[in-house]
Amino acid sequence: ENSPKPHMPLACVLVNSHSASPVPNSYESLEGGGYSGTSLRSPPAGVPAKQAPPFGYNYPTMHPAYQQNPAPKPNPSPSHGGYNPPGYQPYSQPFPSLSELSSALGGLGGVSELEAETLRPVNLLQERNILPPKRAPPPEPNLSNDLRKVNCSPDTFRCTLTNIPQTQALLNKARLPLGLLLHPFRDLTQLPVITSNTIVRCRSCRTYINPFVSFLDQRRWKCNLCYRVNDVPDEFMYNPVTRSYGEPHKRPEVQNSTVEFIASSDYMLRPPQPAVYLFLLDVSHNAVESGYLNVFCQSLLDNLEKLPGDTRTHIGFVTFDSTVHFYNLQEGLSQPQMLVVSDIDGNHLVKDLLNALPGMFTHTRETQSALGPALQAAYKLMSPTGGRVTVFQTQLPTLGAGLLQSREDPNLRSSTKNVLHLGPATDFYKKLALDCSGQQIGVDLFLLSSQYSDLASLACVSKYSAGSVFYYPSFHHIHNTAQKQKFQKDLQRYLTRKIGFEAVMRIRCTKGLSIHTFHGNFFVRSTDLLSLANVNPDSGFAVQMSIEESLADTSLACFQAALLYTSSKGKRRIRVHTLCLPVVSQLSEVFAGADIQAISCLLANMAIDRSISSSLSDARDALVNAVVDCLTAYRANGSNIQPSGLIAPAALRLFPLYVLALLKQKALRTGTSTRLDERVFSMCELKSQPLQQIMRMVHPDLYRIDNMTEQAALHLNDSVIPQPPLLQLTAEKLTREGAFLLDCGSVMYLWVGKCCNETFIRDVLGFQNYASLPSNMTEIPELQTTYSERTRAFISWLLESRTFLPAFHVVKDDASTKTSFFQHLVEDRTESAFSYYEFLLHIQQQMSK
């Protein structure tokens, strides 16, 4: 992907606008339509809201085993009885036998042991330790071994229900949402790439041939989505892998559920575009003061050779304050143009500019920001080719098109009522994004601001052009080391990660299923085609589905996502993922196959939409009702073993905990001081991140790491990786003698207790004792001690598959950062939100209404 190459002039391209043909409107013809019957219905209004009292008021009385002293105001802190757990005795209860279970669930007949475990009734009010000791793997669909082996990886494609209900009536009975979570362009270590003159697809619904089709004989295959019988083309009879003839079922596209085709010119509307990158830099006084420009210029200098592309790559710069500045480094031009770089000495001119930029504005008095006009200029410059615009903004836009006023009332930050201004103040940024999307321009936004900047309006420029949003709320290159380090790490990944241009994605599913709502950053071009001007490997998408026709005639349901894109090397490619799941007719099977993490992520997406289209309190009520409705449905349909208590099938035992955690997220919480931009950014993340990142954000992982041993450790490549168990997110699990690591995905905290073992402080953190630990430590030093190596090996292992590295904070028990650490302990009560046990009682109360 990333060989060194000269950077050609962006401006040259901009002059010869006729060199690339404009983009025709119809991408339909490229990727091919779906069934004629699949119409896009308007999104459902969401979960019907029953009136529930706001959280955190009229606390019910507590079960003695759950009592905690109320948290002192203003912040929950470990003084609330957390250090000496008040003798939790998880109630032991006999597990129901398999025969009891089977009869209770309406006689399941041959219940497998695995299914029996997922259906085991759990009394949530009595079973305290429901958290598994390790991150739970996604549920394994109940398929034959052959199908299981070739099925799509859950990291790419996950469904909220791994057993698909036969009818909409059965789905309604379970009161669970049906939808898919996708991470379609993620980095893969293995990807079968297929170069073939014929890409074999169903003639009727245009599904790509995949492992779940059936061959009637050597010459005919039956589509697994619409059941049409198709001919096998001659070329497909030859297998390039085994170099044998006459075994079409052994071809790589029928042996792998994720493949990439090199596409022919039939899949292009114009010659593939080059990689074009334009950087739009805020250089107002505010921006210069924050020091981001130095960090950005240095980072781009370090990674210039690694930008994805080839010899056709173009790169350009625009800076703006109250005016917009272009860079012209060539004589004899009649109008201002951007940085023009000739082929011969391309890179050194870019480097000269990057070295000069930070110093060019050091004495600026300009306080205004003309972001709108700068974006309009970027749109004009990029329209002939398409490409990526990266915007760095440090304040509210104050001049010209798209100017914004401050809408935040700081006094309402901890309101328990509705939060206003979650939607955009103007449609300028959305309209601009749609124009950009039409010309294959994606816009990414880096907001580095300590003041309110109306992210709800600005984010639209990325949301509808398939871009990404990054936010550093109190960025300062000197005063905030953690944010500076995070910005540097993020830029490193951002500048070098792979990128797809002029992309479209379509999701097809088995006849009878239909998709009705999409979540993520994109523009819906037609009923089921997502337009992605740029596609990156860190974005996730979600879709909601319904069952339009009974699936009684089939035992399997399949889903296929096809992503057509241009690589940074100018190759047109199609990445195809196919997922296969069993269809079931019993309600118990629907519950048994529930994927609680996928359900929580889909509900989070639905709640964000609901909070913008209706109100935050509606969205919160809908989340609570999702739990109430589902547990009521489970109780009504068979779990008559324990009438008292709050009973959930084991597969859904974490449902109330995850929903409570969602309600305490910045995006959805009330009653806790939350800046509007931080709330909106949290909403953006929930709508555009892949599932694993969302789950770490919603329900972080807590480990005690000062006493890690080699017991049960992993041994990988000569290093020992300890495996401490996951702890519940409550201050009760903390002790003054320990050190605890909290992994929240984009940030990690190492909380050190006041009486923490001095050996740990010395060998891992490099200080003599607790008192000498600085309060703003943002990394763990590399020390040559066993303790240090073990701790760093464990943290590296946690970060192994992550593309963006988290900010890191060492938190002392008496520091101000303590608050941000404790707000992630979602099982504890705050002055405006339930503890986990109170929330369970609240659910039980709602169920008895």
Side-chain angles (χ1 to χ4, degrees):
E1 275 273 354
N2 301 328
S3 53
K5 65 260 157 197
H7 291 289
M8 264 173 63
L10 184 46
C12 308
V13 184
L14 308 167
V15 188
N16 304 329
S17 56
H18 53 80
S19 61
S21 51
V23 185
N25 290 333
S26 170
Y27 264 81
E28 284 301 277
S29 52
L30 282 192
E31 214 288 314
Y35 323 116
S36 48
T38 52
S39 61
L40 184 80
R41 300 205 321 269
S42 59
V47 196
K50 296 178 194 154
Q51 278 308 303
F55 304 123
Y57 302 95
N58 6 345
Y59 288 117
T61 52
M62 292 219 250
H63 185 292
Y66 272 83
Q67 265 169 13
Q68 294 172 311
N69 312 326
K73 294 185 177 184
N75 294 306
S77 102
S79 60
H80 61 301
Y83 292 98
N84 314 312
Y88 270 78
Q89 294 299 317
Y91 288 73
S92 53
Q93 49 183 354
F95 290 146
S97 71
L98 206 55
S99 57
E100 274 183 288
L101 191 61
S102 169
S103 60
L105 286 158
L108 288 181
V111 151
S112 71
E113 239 170 272
L114 181 74
E115 198 161 285
E117 172 47 38
T118 56
L119 287 171
R120 176 176 67 81
V122 177
N123 184 346
L124 297 174
L125 289 169
Q126 290 190 336
E127 276 201 42
R128 179 73 175 107
N129 298 313
I130 54 168
L131 207 61
K134 282 194 168 76
R135 293 215 100 181
E140 182 82 67
N142 184 14
L143 293 166
S144 70
N145 269 344
D146 291 350
L147 290 179
R148 206 176 276 184
K149 269 194 280 213
V150 290
N151 214 356
C152 195
S153 158
D155 291 338
T156 300
F157 219 149
R158 249 165 110 162
C159 184
T160 54
L161 304 176
T162 58
N163 288 330
I164 302 292
Q166 220 170 56
T167 60
Q168 184 66 36
L170 181 58
L171 175 61
N172 294 346
K173 225 173 177 182
R175 304 308 294 261
L176 286 167
L178 177 60
L180 301 167
L181 285 108
L182 285 98
H183 190 179
F185 200 54
R186 72 186 182 93
D187 291 329
L188 296 168
T189 43
Q190 270 179 309
L191 175 66
V193 176
I194 295 159
T195 314
S196 162
N197 296 328
T198 327
I199 293 176
V200 181
R201 300 176 67 181
C202 173
R203 285 176 57 193
S204 174
C205 70
R206 309 298 292 143
T207 292
Y208 295 80
I209 198 165
N210 62 75
F212 311 107
V213 305
S214 41
F215 284 91
L216 305 182
D217 52 45
Q218 277 202 337
R219 286 290 178 184
R220 292 177 308 152
W221 64 277
K222 187 176 181 181
C223 174
N224 51 321
L225 266 61
C226 74
Y227 314 121
R228 177 185 170 129
V229 175
N230 294 275
D231 294 334
V232 174
D234 284 344
E235 190 190 354
F236 205 76
M237 296 297 286
Y238 176 72
N239 185 345
V241 180
T242 58
R243 300 192 175 168
S244 57
Y245 191 79
E247 295 180 312
H249 59 283
K250 290 190 178 166
R251 292 253 318 185
E253 49 271 68
V254 189
Q255 292 291 322
N256 298 282
S257 58
T258 289
V259 294
E260 186 149 281
F261 296 100
I262 305 284
S264 61
S265 55
D266 308 351
Y267 289 86
M268 301 174 198
L269 292 176
R270 60 176 189 179
Q273 68 168 76
V276 182
Y277 303 113
L278 174 61
F279 296 98
L280 213 57
L281 306 164
D282 176 352
V283 291
S284 62
H285 176 75
N286 210 30
V288 172
E289 163 55 24
S290 77
Y292 93 86
L293 208 53
N294 309 48
V295 182
F296 164 73
C297 290
Q298 192 50 56
S299 189
L300 185 52
L301 279 167
D302 294 344
N303 293 295
L304 202 52
E305 306 299 333
K306 298 182 200 143
L307 285 185
D310 55 18
T311 51
R312 306 181 307 151
T313 300
H314 307 295
I315 181 169
F317 301 88
V318 169
T319 56
F320 64 96
D321 39 38
S322 60
T323 54
V324 180
H325 325 126
F326 302 86
Y327 292 87
N328 169 8
L329 303 179
Q330 199 177 45
E331 288 174 10
L333 289 169
S334 57
Q335 61 194 73
Q337 288 180 341
M338 298 187 32
L339 167 65
V340 174
V341 180
S342 64
D343 289 341
I344 312 133
D345 52 9
N347 270 1
H348 88 252
L349 282 178
V350 174
K351 287 176 181 167
D352 288 350
L353 181 74
L354 288 171
N355 283 316
L357 265 178
M360 285 162 68
F361 300 95
T362 37
H363 303 300
T364 183
R365 298 266 169 87
E366 288 282 1
T367 54
Q368 305 280 2
S369 168
L371 173 65
L375 281 166
Q376 288 172 325
Y379 167 68
K380 286 189 183 132
L381 288 163
M382 299 288 276
S383 285
T385 50
R388 181 179 77 191
V389 175
T390 309
V391 183
F392 293 87
Q393 173 73 2
T394 67
Q395 60 176 321
L396 200 65
T398 53
L399 281 181
L403 72 89
L404 297 166
Q405 313 288 328
S406 177
R407 299 189 288 162
E408 183 178 40
D409 178 348
N411 300 324
L412 297 179
R413 280 180 189 161
S414 43
S415 159
T416 50
K417 300 190 185 62
N418 267 321
V419 177
L420 304 172
H421 310 309
L422 294 173
T426 162
D427 61 2
F428 172 82
Y429 294 96
K430 178 177 180 177
K431 278 184 167 159
L432 187 70
L434 296 180
D435 289 343
C436 284
S437 177
Q439 296 300 327
Q440 306 302 339
I441 303 163
V443 184
D444 293 330
L445 173 67
F446 283 79
L447 180 62
L448 307 106
S449 171
S450 44
Q451 303 301 315
Y452 172 71
S453 303
D454 197 353
L455 188 56
S457 300
L458 298 184
C460 293
V461 78
S462 299
K463 199 184 275 179
Y464 297 99
S465 68
S468 319
V469 177
F470 298 85
Y471 179 45
Y472 307 88
S474 45
F475 181 85
H476 194 279
H477 68 129
I478 296 166
H479 306 315
N480 193 333
T481 338
Q483 290 251 329
K484 178 187 171 182
Q485 288 169 346
K486 176 89 178 103
F487 180 50
Q488 281 170 321
K489 291 173 193 167
D490 289 357
L491 276 175
Q492 158 82 24
R493 165 69 180 167
Y494 174 78
L495 294 168
T496 58
R497 69 184 178 185
K498 69 174 190 281
I499 183 170
F501 297 103
E502 43 187 355
V504 287
M505 180 164 74
R506 181 175 260 122
I507 300 164
R508 296 180 170 85
C509 38
T510 291
K511 193 175 178 181
L513 292 168
S514 83
I515 293 170
H516 60 72
T517 308
F518 295 92
H519 302 277
N521 290 357
F522 49 74
F523 169 55
V524 182
R525 197 184 283 275
S526 68
T527 51
D528 58 347
L529 191 74
L530 304 185
S531 167
L532 305 164
N534 294 174
V535 60
N536 74 69
D538 303 315
S539 288
F541 302 88
V543 298
Q544 288 164 245
M545 293 186 294
S546 55
I547 304 168
E548 307 263 286
E549 297 164 35
S550 165
L551 302 171
D553 299 340
T554 177
S555 59
L556 299 173
C558 290
F559 310 90
Q560 187 177 79
L563 176 71
L564 172 64
Y565 70 98
T566 298
S567 76
S568 57
K569 299 267 189 277
K571 296 275 180 289
R572 206 72 178 133
R573 292 174 162 238
I574 310 163
R575 187 168 298 188
V576 179
H577 306 285
T578 315
L579 172 69
C580 173
L581 295 172
V583 173
V584 299
S585 57
Q586 299 296 314
L587 184 62
S588 56
E589 297 171 298
V590 179
F591 285 129
D595 179 339
I596 193 52
Q597 295 199 350
I599 288 169
S600 305
C601 289
L602 187 65
L603 286 173
N605 276 289
M606 291 158 70
I608 300 301
D609 283 5
R610 185 73 173 265
S611 62
I612 295 169
S613 65
S614 177
S615 69
L616 189 62
S617 60
D618 253 18
R620 291 170 56 84
D621 288 347
L623 280 172
V624 177
N625 290 331
V627 179
V628 170
D629 292 344
C630 168
L631 296 187
T632 306
Y634 174 69
R635 183 180 64 190
N637 289 285
S639 125
N640 53 11
I641 297 161
Q642 296 162 305
S644 66
L646 181 62
I647 314 297
L652 293 170
R653 69 188 185 282
L654 295 172
F655 196 7
L657 178 61
Y658 285 164
V659 165
L660 176 65
L662 267 174
L663 293 166
K664 293 185 177 187
Q665 282 297 299
K666 282 183 182 170
L668 294 162
R669 70 189 185 188
T670 54
T672 303
S673 182
T674 310
R675 287 166 173 258
L676 194 49
D677 281 345
E678 292 195 29
R679 183 184 294 279
V680 168
F681 179 62
S682 172
M683 294 174 136
C684 292
E685 286 203 294
L686 288 172
K687 288 275 290 184
S688 63
Q689 295 287 334
L691 177 138
Q692 281 158 324
Q693 182 65 6
I694 292 178
M695 283 314 300
R696 271 190 210 100
M697 208 175 124
V698 172
H699 190 277
D701 294 333
L702 178 66
Y703 306 93
R704 179 168 181 176
I705 65 164
D706 62 295
N707 56 2
M708 294 191 294
T709 63
E710 292 195 16
Q711 196 180 345
L714 293 177
H715 293 265
L716 294 176
N717 316 331
D718 306 336
S719 60
V720 176
I721 297 154
Q723 297 290 293
L726 282 174
L727 302 174
Q728 282 156 288
L729 295 176
T730 163
E732 205 177 88
K733 294 292 177 190
L734 305 177
T735 67
R736 286 205 175 88
E737 292 72 38
F740 295 81
L741 185 73
L742 184 70
D743 178 5
C744 314
S746 56
V747 58
M748 261 187 186
Y749 299 96
L750 173 55
W751 183 86
V752 184
K754 279 185 178 152
C755 311
C756 181
N757 175 343
E758 289 196 356
T759 317
F760 176 83
I761 295 178
R762 192 178 57 245
D763 287 5
V764 175
L765 300 173
F767 287 88
Q768 283 313 300
N769 50 31
Y770 179 84
S772 59
L773 270 181
S775 57
N776 57 351
M777 213 171 151
T778 57
E779 49 198 343
I780 292 187
E782 288 195 26
L783 304 173
Q784 304 303 306
T785 65
T786 313
Y787 244 148
S788 171
E789 280 163 15
R790 205 176 278 174
T791 307
R792 284 181 291 112
F794 175 60
I795 293 175
S796 304
W797 176 76
L798 290 178
L799 300 180
E800 207 171 41
S801 57
R802 277 185 237 182
T803 49
F804 286 108
L805 297 174
F808 194 88
H809 297 275
V810 176
V811 179
K812 292 180 75 169
D813 188 14
D814 44 16
S816 54
T817 23
K818 201 166 69 166
T819 319
S820 41
F821 173 79
F822 280 98
Q823 71 183 9
H824 293 288
L825 301 181
V826 295
E827 294 197 22
D828 291 340
R829 172 183 181 173
T830 64
E831 75 260 37
S832 59
F834 285 150
S835 70
Y836 174 57
Y837 186 76
E838 290 166 334
F839 184 62
L840 293 177
L841 291 176
H842 175 72
I843 295 285
Q844 191 181 30
Q845 211 177 328
Q846 294 297 306
M847 283 172 69
S848 57
K849 280 187 177 175

